[in-house]
Amino acid sequence: MNKILLILFLQLPLFYLLLKLFYFDDVADPIKYIYTITGFSSLILLLITTSLSLVKKYLNLIKYRKIVGLSGFFYAFLHFLNFIILDMQVDFHSILKESFEKPFIFLGMSSFLFLLFMAFTSSSTLFKKYHKYHKIIYLVLVLTTIHFIMAQKSLSILEIIFVGIILIIAFFKLLQQIIRINNLN
C-alpha cells in the first residue's frame, strides 16, 4: 500500500466534514458537528493504531502505525482547536474554568496532552528514546472513551461498542504480553 494513498484516505473524514459544512451547508450546529466528526475520527484511528500490533502475525501493517496514529492525533488536534477557537473563542479564562468545572473536558484535555507528547516524540530520533512511554496510548483510549461517553450524556450502543473494543484490545494485549514473557523463560 502506498503511504501517500493511505494519508489521503485518512483525510476522508476531514473532506466529509468540510463538504457538509461549506458545500451542503445543512448542519444545524456546526461546532457540535465538528466535535462529533473530529472526536469520532480520532477515537477510531487510535483504536486502529493499537490494534495493528495485535494482527501483525496475520496482516503486517505495523509500518503504517505511525501514519495512522499521527492522523488520530491530527483529528484530536482539530477537536481541540474547535474547543479553543470556535467554542471558547480563545478566552483562556473560560477555557480553564470549563476544563476544571466539567470532568469530561478535563479528561479530554488530559488525553490530548498525552497525545501531544506521543506525537512530538514520534520522530525517529525521539521515538528511540521515548518509545516505552508510548504505552500511554492505552490510558488515552480509556480517557477518550470516558470523555466521549460523558460528552454524549447517555450510554448508547455506540459507547458500549467502544468500551467493548477497548476491553478486547486490552485482553489480547495482556495475552500477548503473557505469551512473550513465557517464551523468554
Side-chain angles (χ1 to χ4, degrees), residues 7 10-11 13 37-49 64-80 111-112 115-116 118-119 137 140-141 144:
I7 291 169
L10 293 172
Q11 300 311 307
I37 297 296
T38 57
F40 188 77
S41 298
S42 179
L43 184 55
I44 292 293
L45 290 173
L46 294 174
L47 285 169
I48 291 170
T49 302
Y64 302 114
R65 182 168 53 185
K66 181 177 176 180
I67 293 170
V68 177
L70 287 174
S71 294
F73 169 74
F74 170 71
Y75 286 105
F77 184 64
L78 292 179
H79 192 76
F80 173 76
S111 182
F112 178 74
L115 278 175
L116 182 64
M118 288 189 300
I137 186 66
V140 167
L141 283 175
T144 304

Side-chain angles (χ1 to χ4, degrees), residues 1 51-65:
M1 184 187 310
S51 301
L52 290 178
S53 64
L54 293 174
V55 299
K56 73 179 175 184
K57 185 187 269 186
Y58 311 103
L59 184 63
N60 192 355
L61 300 172
I62 291 295
K63 64 182 174 184
Y64 302 114
R65 182 168 53 185

Side-chain angles (χ1 to χ4, degrees), residues 81-182:
L81 288 179
N82 186 48
F83 175 70
I84 299 294
I85 297 170
L86 298 178
D87 203 6
M88 294 288 111
Q89 300 174 352
V90 197
D91 179 357
F92 291 109
H93 180 265
S94 294
I95 292 167
L96 286 173
K97 185 178 176 196
E98 288 285 311
S99 296
F100 288 108
E101 284 182 358
K102 296 183 179 176
F104 82 97
I105 295 176
F106 182 79
L107 290 175
M109 287 289 193
S110 301
S111 182
F112 178 74
L113 290 175
F114 289 134
L115 278 175
L116 182 64
F117 166 78
M118 288 189 300
F120 182 73
T121 59
S122 68
S123 69
S124 298
T125 309
L126 290 175
F127 187 75
K128 288 176 187 171
K129 185 175 181 180
Y130 294 103
H131 74 279
K132 61 185 171 191
Y133 299 111
H134 279 233
K135 292 185 189 306
I136 61 173
I137 186 66
Y138 303 107
L139 176 61
V140 167
L141 283 175
V142 170
L143 293 176
T144 304
T145 302
I146 295 170
H147 166 77
F148 179 59
I149 291 168
M150 291 175 80
Q152 301 302 316
K153 297 180 181 125
S154 67
L155 191 60
S156 71
I157 191 71
L158 184 62
E159 287 91 8
I160 293 170
I161 289 170
F162 279 124
V163 170
I165 291 170
I166 289 173
L167 290 174
I168 290 168
I169 290 170
F171 172 77
F172 282 108
K173 279 301 211 180
L174 183 62
L175 188 63
Q176 194 177 51
Q177 293 296 322
I178 291 170
I179 290 169
R180 184 176 296 135
I181 290 169
N182 285 337

